[in-house]
Amino acid sequence: MKTIAIKSKAEKMPRTAEKVMHVSGSTGLKALFRKELADHLRSRRFLIILVLIYATCFASLYGALSGFSDAVANDSNFLFLKLYTTSGESIPSFMTFIALLGPFLGLTLGFDAINSERSTGTLNRLVAQTIYRDSIIIGKFLAGGAVILIMVFSMGILIGAVGMLSTGLVPQAEEIGRIFFFLLFTVIYIAFWLALSILFSVFCRHSATSALAVISLWIFFALFMSLIADIIANIVYPVDDYYNSVMNAVSNYTLEQNLNRISPYYLYSEAVSTIMSPSVRSVNVVTVDQLVGAISGYLSLGQSLLLVWPHLVGLIALMLVSFGGSYVGFMRQEIRSS
Amino acid sequence: MEQKMIEMQGLTKHYGSKIAVNGLNLSICQGEIFGLLGPNGAGKTTTILMLLGLTEPTAGRAFIEGLDCTRNPVAVKSIAGYMPDNIGFYPDLTGRQNLRFTGRLNGLAESVIEQRIEQLLERVGMKEYGDQKTGTYSKGMKQRLGIADVLMKDPRVIIMDEPTLGIDPEGMRELLTLMRELSREDGRTLLISSHQLYQIQQICDRVGIFVSGRLIACGKIAELGRQVNQEGGNLDEIYRLYFEKAGQSDENDRNKK
């Protein structure tokens, strides 16, 4: 490097800073978004999850096709939707798979968003650039969201395409609409898990800790929440003897359901099964009394959406609360090299 | 009087009951190399973070080129470059890609970015390593790329936190030469924090000695020597004497209580 002195004298940096620098919020955000998106798409981690999810997606499609004739025999309307909702022997349906594995996708995209940058020492270099600090976390969330959007929609369309080829079914306009809303709900559901894992990545120093924290929440919501809801409902409204079971049955079931709805897993499952099965007419308990005189029929898409409107709002709220938490946490944190 | 580039007025930072920086008053002129010296945990990094608007001071204010560092951090960051200690790069990206990303973050035009990357890699002697992934770089190479990274946005003020840490003697000489050039030839203002006195002594115009959050001495090295009757003494000696004095006064304070 002895020659440095001579070289630098020969070519001075052009003093053009004033001309070329536009300090605006969107410049940094765009650069960050592009980099994060490229990072996600190029990473080995993304490749692994892509293979995993596509494998399960084809397994579920295979299951659906093998159980298809039974499903058709039961009800021969909205056949195309059955590609997504029918479970074969011992293979869950696509809908069930996504509800279970979706969180995993969000988790892998976000669990080390902030803390890995902190530990490699790039975060304090990043915040010293001419950008607003929030563009870092917004850029990360948007890039993860874009990956989720691309993946979910490509997967949903792929299932439809393969299903169309193998069964010869053609979707009706309403079915396409229902599938679109199903995929939209899925994107929001997975984006919630992305936001949650970013939240943990802001507050946990090590990426392993944040990954474990999100995984434990995922398992809790997917497996244990329903047990706990059941126990609590039985304590509050016991149904142990004949008298109690007559008096408390409705309250017991309603409480259990409401407790379950705290879990985003349940909320999502309930919403998409309503959207994907037009025959579902209510998401709450219905008494025999209320059913008297009702004509069995299908709900229109608009009516189905009306039923799950609260679910949509709930999921969006959960997502925004998690993201808001990580936003505030990140903005208030002091970033120094460790 | 030369133009003041960096100015701190009663800058104070508390962490709970711990006082990290205590009423710091300091101004640094344009083109100057100022060395902020002090032991680990003296509050040097905290001071730098406040200068860049990365943490809020408990009291007092800081200005870079007249811009309030707390109120207007983005404008401040557009004229001030920061090289943190333990500088890190995205290990999966090459040196060039890392610099390109920095350029884009700062909203530079693509043509300017490419032009600067070539100039800067040449300048820091990293041209042949520019297409290697930074994960393979040694500490010294990262440090050099760090200087290129800071210079991407062509800052008028450069703040370096412990730039000499963990670099071999040869690399150190090159680094010091480069720092001197940045000041003398480009007319940039440099604020260097360090606890390695010997190196800092070689290039700094003025130094400030910083112990437990307070600036206990500030001035040209020769002046500081005169104050403690160490005519022509080296900085090590001066620093030790000041440090002892500070320690004694701390002790006296405690005894009074």
Side-chain angles (χ1 to χ4, degrees):
Chain A
M1 229 173 43
K2 268 185 192 163
T3 47
I4 282 176
I6 306 154
K7 275 175 194 157
S8 61
K9 266 174 213 157
E11 38 181 39
K12 277 213 170 180
M13 293 266 298
R15 280 246 162 230
T16 46
E18 288 77 10
K19 274 178 235 158
V20 288
M21 232 181 240
H22 326 279
V23 182
S24 79
S26 65
T27 325
L29 184 62
K30 213 173 103 192
L32 271 158
F33 176 79
R34 273 174 63 182
K35 183 198 157 281
E36 287 296 321
L37 195 62
D39 273 3
H40 281 315
L41 296 180
R42 275 198 218 114
S43 70
R44 208 164 293 152
R45 195 193 297 167
F46 176 74
L47 210 67
I48 293 170
I49 188 107
L50 194 74
V51 169
L52 176 76
I53 294 213
Y54 270 79
T56 50
C57 145
F58 278 106
S60 69
L61 186 64
Y62 172 78
L65 289 176
S66 65
F68 209 57
S69 50
D70 291 342
V72 173
N74 280 342
D75 177 8
S76 58
N77 285 306
F78 295 101
L79 285 178
F80 201 73
L81 296 181
K82 292 204 162 56
L83 288 173
Y84 296 82
T85 55
T86 311
S87 49
E89 303 140 26
S90 75
I91 303 174
S93 68
F94 178 68
M95 222 167 62
T96 322
F97 257 135
I98 287 297
L100 260 176
L101 284 181
F104 191 61
L105 172 61
L107 161 79
T108 46
L109 291 175
F111 78 95
D112 64 347
I114 300 294
N115 50 18
S116 76
E117 294 239 12
R118 200 195 298 275
S119 57
T120 51
T122 46
L123 190 59
N124 49 8
R125 203 163 54 81
L126 209 53
V127 291
Q129 304 304 330
T130 317
I131 52 170
Y132 293 99
R133 192 195 277 202
D134 59 356
S135 48
I136 296 174
I137 194 150
I138 294 175
K140 278 178 185 288
F141 181 68
L142 288 182
V147 172
I148 293 170
L149 189 80
I150 294 167
M151 231 169 130
V152 165
F153 271 86
S154 68
M155 217 158 48
I157 292 169
L158 193 71
I159 289 248
V162 174
M164 223 144 71
L165 286 175
S166 52
T167 60
L169 286 171
V170 179
Q172 299 159 340
E174 194 186 328
E175 284 173 320
I176 292 176
R178 282 178 186 273
I179 290 166
F180 173 79
F181 281 104
F182 161 59
L183 296 177
L184 195 69
F185 265 77
T186 311
V187 170
I188 293 166
Y189 172 61
I190 300 177
F192 156 72
W193 286 98
L194 172 74
L196 193 69
S197 54
I198 290 179
L199 177 72
F200 279 102
S201 85
V202 168
F203 290 105
C204 299
R205 286 230 159 256
H206 301 285
S207 44
T209 322
S210 53
L212 279 176
V214 188
I215 289 175
S216 53
L217 270 180
W218 168 34
I219 293 175
F220 173 77
F221 282 136
L223 297 178
F224 298 115
M225 191 65 189
S226 56
L227 301 179
I228 290 174
D230 186 44
I231 292 169
I232 293 177
N234 282 337
I235 291 171
V236 179
Y237 297 110
V239 283
D240 39 12
D241 54 34
Y242 179 75
Y243 174 75
N244 276 341
S245 62
V246 168
M247 292 307 289
N248 291 339
V250 172
S251 325
N252 179 298
Y253 183 74
T254 309
L255 179 65
E256 186 183 337
Q257 206 178 21
N258 284 338
L259 285 174
N260 265 325
R261 282 181 185 151
I262 295 170
S263 153
Y265 170 74
Y266 187 88
L267 209 58
Y268 167 76
S269 303
E270 197 176 49
V272 290
S273 56
T274 307
I275 293 177
M276 293 301 271
S277 340
S279 54
V280 173
R281 297 169 65 96
S282 167
V283 289
N284 291 319
V285 63
V286 179
T287 60
V288 182
D289 213 29
Q290 288 168 312
L291 278 178
V292 168
I295 302 160
S296 138
Y298 299 108
L299 286 187
S300 65
L301 175 58
Q303 292 301 313
S304 285
L305 282 180
L306 215 54
L307 269 184
V308 295
W309 194 248
H311 297 67
L312 180 66
V313 174
L315 279 174
I316 291 178
L318 280 172
M319 179 184 84
L320 288 181
V321 165
S322 320
F323 180 67
S326 52
Y327 182 94
V328 171
F330 182 68
M331 294 303 278
R332 299 179 72 95
Q333 249 172 13
E334 183 172 281
I335 289 146
R336 50 167 74 214
S337 54
S338 42
Chain B
M1 187 64 197
E2 282 177 77
Q3 198 202 343
K4 280 180 188 165
M5 280 305 270
I6 304 178
E7 198 168 11
M8 299 169 226
Q9 298 169 349
L11 206 58
T12 305
K13 178 76 184 177
H14 295 207
Y15 287 110
S17 59
K18 190 180 172 288
I19 301 169
V21 178
N22 193 358
L24 182 60
N25 290 305
L26 182 66
S27 26
I28 299 170
C29 298
Q30 195 192 343
E32 200 177 19
I33 304 184
F34 189 90
L36 198 57
L37 304 176
N40 292 328
K44 293 173 303 210
T45 304
T46 310
T47 308
I48 289 173
L49 291 184
M50 286 192 279
L51 275 179
L52 289 160
L54 297 181
T55 188
E56 255 175 70
T58 314
R61 299 213 284 174
F63 301 93
I64 290 183
E65 226 181 43
L67 294 164
D68 191 316
C69 296
T70 316
R71 300 275 171 78
N72 211 345
V74 173
V76 165
K77 286 189 283 187
S78 75
I79 51 173
Y82 170 48
M83 192 169 113
D85 59 340
N86 281 325
I87 189 157
F89 292 96
Y90 296 105
D92 291 338
L93 299 182
T94 66
R96 275 199 173 80
Q97 286 169 334
N98 266 296
L99 292 183
R100 199 168 292 136
F101 177 54
T102 304
R104 282 184 189 149
L105 279 181
N106 286 292
L108 302 175
E110 290 292 317
S111 58
V112 178
I113 291 177
E114 296 309 318
Q115 192 190 344
R116 276 196 195 166
I117 288 176
E118 294 315 310
Q119 279 177 6
L120 290 172
L121 284 178
E122 178 102 45
R123 189 165 185 182
V124 297
M126 290 284 290
K127 196 144 199 171
E128 58 267 53
Y129 308 110
D131 289 321
Q132 268 181 31
K133 289 193 173 175
T134 53
T136 65
Y137 281 14
S138 68
K139 169 100 188 169
M141 287 158 83
K142 274 188 193 160
Q143 208 78 15
R144 284 195 241 169
L145 189 66
I147 293 179
D149 182 70
V150 167
L151 291 175
M152 269 312 280
K153 61 179 167 186
D154 195 18
R156 292 194 280 274
V157 176
I158 299 175
I159 300 174
M160 292 178 172
D161 200 353
E162 303 282 5
T164 55
L165 214 61
I167 296 187
D168 59 44
E170 176 67 11
M172 181 79 76
R173 233 194 37 238
E174 291 164 354
L175 184 68
L176 293 176
T177 314
L178 189 59
M179 289 204 258
R180 202 174 288 135
E181 272 171 34
L182 291 177
S183 158
R184 300 291 177 269
E185 284 165 29
D186 301 0
R188 302 177 209 269
T189 312
L190 265 71
L191 173 64
I192 300 165
S193 106
S194 181
H195 60 248
Q196 294 186 314
L197 312 169
Y198 176 70
Q199 285 84 23
I200 293 306
Q201 183 175 14
Q202 299 176 1
I203 54 162
C204 285
D205 298 312
R206 283 196 305 150
V207 295
I209 298 178
F210 208 54
V211 180
S212 41
R214 269 177 306 166
L215 193 68
I216 54 172
C218 176
K220 292 201 167 74
I221 293 170
E223 285 172 16
L224 290 185
R226 234 170 281 138
Q227 285 176 23
V228 287
N229 306 319
Q230 274 280 325
E231 206 64 55
N234 71 1
L235 192 56
D236 255 329
E237 192 67 15
I238 297 168
Y239 177 69
R240 197 175 53 76
L241 285 164
Y242 268 109
F243 198 65
E244 274 170 12
K245 252 167 78 182
Q248 274 165 8
S249 62
D250 272 1
E251 211 123 280
N252 290 343
D253 287 351
R254 243 173 267 144
N255 290 343
K256 273 174 207 161
K257 279 170 195 165

